[in-house]
Amino acid sequence: MARNIQSLERAAAMLRLLAGGERRLGLSDIASSLGLAKGTAHGILRTLQQEGFVEQDDASGRYQLGAELLRLGTTYLDVHELRARALVWTDDLARSSGESVHLGVLHQQGVLVVHHVFRPDDSRQVLEIGAMQPLHSTALGKVLSAYDPVAHSEALEADRKPFTDRTVCEPEAFEQLLDITRARGYAADVEETWEGVASIAAPIHDRRRMPVGAVGITGAVERVCREGELRPDLIAAVRDCARAVSRDLGAGRF
């Protein structure tokens, strides 16, 4: 039988301790509660702090759970609630637009598709739940990069490779695209990732008004665009869907 790693067990116990009881704990309190030497406890806390799992108050020197751990801790619930809240609205979007609908969240420097509604016709289609999309070229990815600071950083740090001649890879040009996305409230991908394919996506916010995902449609350029421009009715439909899901998540009006 494999042996447990003691340092990880101690770190887990430390996080559980900080998650319960008082809001902040000092080094002595943590060490005595876990039966650890102060030096050992301090080393574990320092590592957890560097990873963003623990934060130290500058004034008191006490420790509390960090933002990264809280973000990870709510991801499971957020994704499942997001998908549950979006089911009806994404079905409606697929029917009204005539295109396939994807719901995506940030995951490992990309966009994870957590829900996919097929285009409402008899064509052969492949279910894409669990597929990963790039942040820098897809409509879903650009929306997340524009509204989520973590996604923004990861998109800038990633290798933004060109998929087509239209893919925007240069940092300054990419930042301009994100500015445009925030200004108009949606993102577009017209043959930037796949030849002949266009997408439109808009952000979804939760009750904390934090971006938790993006929803969008994907289809052939000749259907999504008209005379070289994205169809206004499809843009409106995508934005309406995103606002509806956001309202169901408690975000209020956007």
Side-chain angles (χ1 to χ4, degrees):
M1 181 181 294
R3 297 175 60 185
N4 292 340
I5 301 174
Q6 188 180 55
S7 59
L8 293 180
E9 289 181 331
R10 289 172 171 175
M14 199 169 286
L15 293 173
R16 292 191 188 98
L17 179 65
L18 291 171
E22 297 182 24
R23 177 175 169 78
R24 295 188 179 98
L25 293 173
L27 174 60
S28 297
D29 298 324
I30 294 171
S32 61
S33 295
L34 299 178
L36 300 174
K38 281 188 179 182
T40 301
H42 184 256
I44 296 172
L45 284 167
R46 187 172 62 249
T47 301
L48 291 173
Q49 186 177 0
Q50 289 172 348
E51 296 298 325
F53 296 145
V54 165
E55 296 174 356
Q56 186 177 27
D57 182 66
D58 292 334
S60 67
R62 290 174 172 265
Y63 295 89
Q64 65 183 26
L65 293 180
E68 178 64 13
L69 183 66
L70 296 175
R71 186 178 74 85
L72 291 175
T74 57
T75 296
Y76 176 84
L77 293 177
D78 284 349
V79 168
H80 283 264
E81 183 181 8
L82 171 62
R83 186 176 182 277
R85 298 288 186 179
L87 289 177
V88 173
W89 299 111
T90 50
D91 283 349
D92 287 346
L93 178 58
R95 281 193 295 269
S96 65
S97 67
E99 302 296 345
S100 62
V101 177
H102 295 89
L103 186 69
V105 298
L106 176 65
H107 181 68
Q108 294 181 351
Q109 295 188 321
V111 183
L112 174 66
V113 177
V114 297
H115 186 52
H116 175 200
V117 184
F118 282 163
R119 185 172 60 254
D121 59 22
D122 295 328
S123 62
R124 182 179 179 182
Q125 300 173 63
V126 177
L127 187 65
E128 296 182 25
I129 294 175
M132 292 291 294
Q133 295 186 3
L135 285 170
H136 70 287
S137 63
T138 62
L140 292 174
K142 282 185 275 190
V143 162
L144 292 175
S145 299
Y147 288 90
D148 185 336
V150 176
H152 181 224
S153 298
E154 292 187 351
L156 290 177
E157 293 170 2
D159 178 19
R160 294 181 302 280
K161 65 178 182 179
F163 296 103
T164 72
D165 292 341
R166 294 173 176 260
T167 309
V168 176
C169 302
E170 294 301 318
E172 289 187 7
F174 181 65
E175 287 284 16
Q176 290 175 356
L177 272 181
L178 300 187
D179 288 340
I180 293 171
T181 297
R182 285 186 287 266
R184 64 189 184 183
Y186 69 92
D189 165 13
V190 181
E191 297 188 287
E192 292 179 49
T193 311
W194 302 282
E195 296 283 357
V197 177
S199 302
I200 304 168
I204 296 172
H205 297 81
D206 66 3
R207 62 184 63 86
R208 300 160 295 181
R209 291 186 173 265
M210 296 293 291
V212 293
V215 63
I217 61 169
T218 299
V221 171
E222 58 267 24
R223 294 195 306 267
V224 177
C225 298
R226 182 182 296 134
E227 296 180 356
E229 299 291 335
L230 294 169
R231 287 170 48 189
D233 59 316
L234 294 182
I235 294 172
V238 171
R239 296 192 68 193
D240 286 346
C241 177
R243 283 193 288 260
V245 179
S246 297
R247 284 196 299 271
D248 276 4
L249 288 171
R253 294 183 64 84
F254 270 86

